[in-house]
Structures are given as C-alpha cells and as structure tokens.
Amino acid sequence: MEFQFFKLEIFVPISHFPAIQKVLQECDAGHIGQYDSCLSYSEVKGCWRPLPGASPYDGEIGKLSYSTEYRVEAVCRAENLEETLAAVKQAHPYEEPVINVIPLYRTGL
C-alpha cells in the first residue's frame, strides 16, 4: 500500500522554530483543504549525551544535557516528502535532527 500523506514530527530548539515553520510553508507541508501553513507545536523536554566525535549544537561531549524544545507536527503529501525533509534538515541546527516520518493510513483530508 502506498501512502498519500505523512505526518512529520520534528524536534527543534525553540529559537529555530520560525525557520522550520518557514520551510514547511515553502514546501507546502501543512496544506489541508483550503488552508495552508497548518501545524501544531508543543513544548517538550529533551535529553541527550554527545559521544566522542560529535559536534553538538548544545551540550558537551560525554555529559548528559537537558533542554526545552518544540515538537512540531505537520502533514506532508508523499510527492513533497523528500524535498520537505531536505529543506527541514538544511534549516535545522542539530547535527542529527530528529525528524519522524509517520505514514497516515487514514486522515480527515
């Protein structure tokens, strides 16, 4: 079964939310019917520990770090998925951005 829509779940520092919001809009992610730029975001707490060889945006090698960030969610059409992922990665400050791509079996679209 091929999926027509995917939900993107992106974790990003609050400071970089406007940049992510802009690229999602430019890639037409969040287009639902007669609306565009539709997304949701919420504050989440994250933790990570950079390992030797990492080049962290935030934190120190070998030390556990904690921060508040946003989880951003938007719907993306299958034909725009690769372009959208590339644009999000370009705008994202993390060396290893967390971007979950979730196929949507049924949606209200």
Side-chain angles (χ1 to χ4, degrees):
M1 167 190 314
E2 286 193 35
F3 293 95
Q4 295 179 352
F5 298 96
F6 294 86
K7 179 171 82 169
L8 302 180
E9 181 183 64
I10 305 159
F11 293 84
V12 64
I14 294 169
S15 61
H16 285 72
F17 171 71
I20 297 300
Q21 185 177 27
K22 182 178 183 211
V23 298
L24 290 172
Q25 182 182 40
E26 290 171 352
C27 293
D28 204 31
H31 190 141
I32 301 173
Q34 298 300 313
Y35 298 84
D36 73 359
S37 305
C38 302
L39 60 76
S40 61
Y41 64 97
S42 55
E43 276 191 12
V44 296
K45 304 288 185 187
C47 66
W48 65 96
R49 182 174 61 186
L51 300 174
S55 180
Y57 166 77
D58 189 15
E60 295 179 42
I61 302 295
K63 293 186 178 181
L64 198 55
S65 298
Y66 301 88
S67 183
T68 300
E69 56 188 354
Y70 280 162
R71 177 179 54 221
V72 180
E73 298 175 273
V75 172
C76 181
R77 292 187 174 275
E79 61 265 20
N80 298 337
L81 182 60
E82 295 305 320
E83 170 193 356
T84 303
L85 290 173
V88 168
K89 288 178 183 178
Q90 183 71 31
H92 205 292
Y94 292 169
E95 181 178 23
E96 302 286 348
V98 176
I99 305 168
N100 297 319
V101 179
I102 303 160
L104 296 175
Y105 174 64
R106 292 190 180 187
T107 179
L109 302 177

